[in-house]
Amino acid sequence: MYKAVGSRGSRVSRVLWMLEELGQPYEFVEVKLRSPEAYALNPSGKVPVLIDGELTVTDSAAICVYLADKHADKGMGANPGVAGRAEMDSWMHFAQSEFEAPLWNKLRHRFLLPKEVRVDVGPAAAYDFASETKALDRRLAEKPFALGDRFSAVDVLLGDMGGWARAGKFPIESERVNAYFNRVLSRPARARAQANGGAMK
């Protein structure tokens, strides 16, 4: 059985969602960011962490890709071949490095950084997020999901970010992007993941 380690309401939500989509049994182990327990699993003290027997995998995107590859029969991984892998990697890097960056920046200055170094990044974060939303709109084009006609690990990652954006009241003006988030966020596996530890108490 997998162990998904993280703090409630954090990026562990996407790991739990991925496990639910794959129909895999797991245990959610609640551990705080930069706690002794987190440092024992990850030198940075960050969570989520996935424990699969003797293997420890860190970073939510890497965990989702690992799970998709391990359970390839479930069809949540890359399209076939080197080109398919490059396409999925491109989406994953865009999701974390670009689309999520403004959300993370605002969160850090609201809650995570020491109070003496926090600044008001709200306007800049909103501007950057609007720009990345336009990029997501163009990348999706007419596809129902990131990789085409099927739901994949990329959609778990992006969908989780979309949920955070909506919770943080970041406006999404693109009809296509809103429809995409409605589509992926309404999946039953996400609701199960939230009930099992992926949502704030």
Side-chain angles (χ1 to χ4, degrees):
M1 179 184 290
Y2 292 108
K3 286 187 179 180
V5 182
S7 55
R8 192 175 296 271
S10 71
R11 287 172 173 159
V12 77
S13 57
R14 58 194 65 161
V15 175
L16 303 184
W17 183 1
M18 186 74 186
L19 287 162
E20 289 286 350
E21 291 284 353
L22 294 168
Q24 294 300 309
Y26 63 88
E27 176 188 0
F28 170 51
V29 180
E30 194 164 358
V31 167
K32 292 189 182 300
L33 178 75
R34 294 194 175 89
S35 63
E37 296 86 356
Y39 277 114
L41 295 170
N42 184 353
S44 71
K46 293 181 180 180
V47 290
V49 174
L50 181 78
I51 301 174
D52 181 12
E54 297 299 313
L55 178 66
T56 299
V57 187
T58 62
D59 186 274
S60 60
I63 293 168
C64 289
V65 170
Y66 169 74
L67 289 169
D69 286 348
K70 184 172 180 182
H71 301 281
D73 60 307
K74 301 293 185 178
M76 291 190 65
N79 287 319
V82 176
R85 170 57 69 187
E87 176 191 27
M88 184 172 185
D89 288 349
S90 175
W91 270 106
M92 287 297 202
H93 287 295
F94 164 76
Q96 281 203 304
S97 300
E98 299 178 48
F99 188 74
E100 189 179 40
L103 305 175
W104 180 239
N105 192 29
K106 185 175 180 180
L107 178 66
R108 289 174 72 242
H109 284 277
R110 282 283 178 89
F111 303 109
L112 301 177
L113 290 172
K115 288 184 179 179
E116 64 271 16
V117 299
R118 295 179 193 175
V119 296
D120 181 12
V121 298
Y127 177 86
D128 288 341
F129 183 74
S131 176
E132 297 307 333
T133 300
K134 290 175 184 175
L136 177 58
D137 181 291
R138 291 189 293 269
R139 288 184 74 120
L140 286 170
E142 300 304 318
K143 297 178 297 203
F145 300 108
L147 299 184
D149 293 331
R150 64 182 176 85
F151 183 86
S152 73
V154 178
D155 301 300
V156 170
L157 209 69
L158 283 170
D160 192 64
M161 294 169 187
W164 280 106
R166 288 179 170 181
K169 296 184 169 40
F170 278 81
I172 299 173
E173 297 181 0
S174 163
E175 289 184 16
R176 190 193 334 257
V177 172
N178 270 313
Y180 167 74
F181 285 138
N182 290 342
R183 191 177 306 121
V184 299
L185 290 171
S186 64
R187 292 179 70 86
R190 178 175 182 260
R192 293 194 300 271
Q194 289 186 307
N196 288 338
M200 290 281 194
K201 284 184 177 178

